[in-house]
Amino acid sequence: RPRVLSGIQPTADSYHLGNYLGAVRQWVTLQEEHEPFFFIADLHAITVEQDPKVLRERTRRAAAQLLAAGVDPERSAIFVQSHIPEHAQLGWVMQCITSFGEARRMTQFKDKSAKGGEGAASVGLFSYPMLMAADILLYRPAYVPVGEDQRQHLELTRDLAQRFNSRYKKTFRLPEPYILKEVAKIYDLQDPAIKMSKSASSPSGLIDMLDDPKASAKKIRSAVTDSEMEIRFDEESKPGVSNLLRIYSALTGTDIETLVGKYAGKGYGDLKKDLAEVVVDYVTPFREKTHQILEDRAYLDGILAQGAEKAGVVARRTLADVYERVGLVAPA
Ligand code: AQP
């Protein structure tokens, strides 16, 4: 079975709808036919300052949400990135084969460092894509399910894999991005020109999966649309309505065309009211399940230990190959 690998950062109390639809939901379907490795990216989280107590709590919450979403620990290795030291170790090797210029071209760094100025951003934030390349290449996966915003990092990962393979010896498999067009980018409800994001969205632009469902319903009902009346899918001129249709379609499995037909002659209010109900029905059991899982910390930590054991075997083997190929002397 081909391997899949993906990660998510524990940088919020809850996943938002973009993380969930753009990434995590694909993890659940992919685990059926693949050998999956899914991790909580706590080392990535500390590229910006974190409260240690909150980070620990969020790491467990992130894992609990994966289980609540349907990631099955019997099929998938679910683990915490920092439990596998090879991520940081291979990350260093990746930094050493990346040029400063190509790291500089990463748009996420430009965006994330724009606020405080490049000089204030951490070196870790700058080298984040090289750690991400290591996260991926360690497991030699065939596919990496992510949202559209990660495409550039994945291209860098492929470039680095290729560079390493040709400079030393074929070591890495070139991973393919697995990006579902329909949900690759879920937009902010208040500003449909930007992606739904924990750092850039206002609270009313973002649906948290663990938020009070009533609050989420309200956010859907007050989503920004446009001054026309007609419900149709047109991302250029109707980004707000198109975003709502995408979310509606993804949560119900109804295609957008059918939805447009269903709402012919109806108003934005009808669409929003119905979608608000769909969202409530979707997040309510997810939220309950997550809280239930969080109550049994021993169970959760046990799953993370089991995942780390599985991941560690693969990661150690890859790193040993890499160190040997680079010319590092193995300890006697
Ligand atoms: N709006 C989105 N639509 C579709 N997919 C998305 N992802 C994030 N936002 C959207 C995907 O979610 C996965 C996990 O993301 P992450 O935890 O690594 O954080 P991120 O990519 O940095 O996204 P956030 O949550 O918006 O955080 P900030 O605001 O810090 O950038 C990834 O696969 C991502 O593509």
Side-chain angles (χ1 to χ4, degrees):
R1 290 189 301 162
R3 282 200 187 131
V4 293
L5 174 289
S6 198
I8 188 156
Q9 296 190 68
T11 40
D13 287 338
S14 167
Y15 296 162
H16 59 70
L17 198 58
N19 300 140
Y20 179 74
L21 291 179
V24 174
R25 216 163 65 147
Q26 278 62 268
W27 302 8
V28 180
T29 42
L30 284 169
Q31 67 184 348
E32 304 292 327
E33 313 264 322
H34 297 81
E35 188 191 357
F37 292 83
F38 298 132
F39 66 95
I40 313 301
D42 56 349
L43 295 176
H44 285 285
I46 60 169
T47 54
V48 293
E49 195 177 336
Q50 302 290 339
D51 176 325
K53 198 163 155 253
V54 174
L55 178 61
R56 249 189 295 278
E57 177 61 29
R58 286 177 169 175
T59 300
R60 290 199 173 90
R61 282 174 83 94
Q65 288 175 84
L66 286 188
L67 296 172
V71 177
D72 174 2
E74 292 308 315
R75 293 175 199 234
S76 302
I78 306 170
F79 61 99
V80 176
Q81 185 186 25
S82 63
H83 291 181
I84 311 292
E86 286 77 9
H87 286 248
Q89 291 171 300
L90 183 60
W92 176 252
V93 177
M94 290 295 131
Q95 288 186 54
C96 294
I97 66 166
T98 307
S99 72
F100 202 82
E102 74 189 332
R104 251 228 151 97
R105 284 197 286 277
M106 296 296 114
T107 53
Q108 194 178 75
F109 176 74
K110 287 188 207 162
D111 294 346
K112 291 198 170 178
S113 60
K115 224 192 205 165
E118 193 183 277
S122 74
V123 176
L125 191 66
F126 185 65
S127 62
Y128 179 116
M130 289 130 261
L131 179 59
M132 178 166 157
D135 298 335
I136 296 169
L137 298 176
L138 265 183
Y139 299 92
R140 298 170 163 137
Y143 303 106
V144 182
V146 284
E148 182 61 39
D149 57 328
Q150 293 297 334
R151 188 187 289 276
Q152 193 189 29
H153 291 162
L154 220 44
E155 274 162 18
L156 176 71
T157 301
R158 287 169 59 89
D159 289 347
L160 296 178
Q162 206 151 26
R163 186 170 308 157
F164 189 97
N165 286 350
S166 64
R167 195 177 289 183
Y168 301 102
K169 185 180 171 196
K170 186 164 186 324
T171 305
F172 297 123
R173 179 179 184 143
L174 264 56
E176 296 288 340
Y178 182 90
I179 300 176
L180 284 191
K181 202 170 123 257
E182 297 74 20
V183 283
K185 203 164 181 184
I186 300 297
Y187 293 88
D188 184 300
L189 297 175
Q190 288 299 316
D191 180 1
I194 62 166
K195 74 158 194 164
M196 190 179 281
S197 143
K198 354 174 221 263
S199 52
S201 291
S202 65
S204 51
L206 172 136
I207 300 277
D208 270 329
M209 298 293 292
L210 297 181
D211 204 357
D212 175 359
K214 279 197 215 108
S216 299
K218 198 168 158 216
K219 290 180 191 179
I220 295 280
R221 285 195 302 267
S222 35
V224 163
T225 46
D226 53 60
S227 55
E228 292 180 11
M229 307 280 282
E230 195 193 359
I231 296 175
R232 66 191 159 81
F233 190 78
D234 179 344
E235 289 187 291
E236 284 285 303
S237 57
K238 299 172 80 71
V241 172
S242 302
N243 192 38
L244 294 178
L245 286 169
R246 271 196 194 289
I247 295 172
Y248 200 146
S249 167
L251 291 179
T252 58
T254 315
D255 57 57
I256 288 180
E257 222 172 292
T258 310
L259 288 175
V260 170
K262 180 178 166 184
Y263 288 98
K266 294 192 181 166
Y268 293 161
D270 300 306
L271 172 70
K272 289 183 187 175
K273 188 173 146 285
D274 291 353
L275 178 57
E277 273 171 36
V278 166
V279 168
V280 168
D281 290 348
Y282 205 90
V283 297
T284 303
F286 177 85
R287 190 170 178 246
E288 279 165 13
K289 228 186 255 171
T290 303
H291 288 303
Q292 217 172 18
I293 295 163
L294 279 170
E295 272 168 30
D296 194 347
R297 182 165 280 205
Y299 164 75
L300 189 59
D301 287 354
I303 283 172
L304 294 173
Q306 180 188 314
E309 205 172 305
K310 215 156 137 188
V313 173
V314 180
R316 282 190 290 277
R317 201 176 305 141
T318 308
L319 189 77
D321 287 350
V322 168
Y323 273 14
E324 191 269 326
R325 281 157 201 190
V326 170
L328 307 184
V329 174

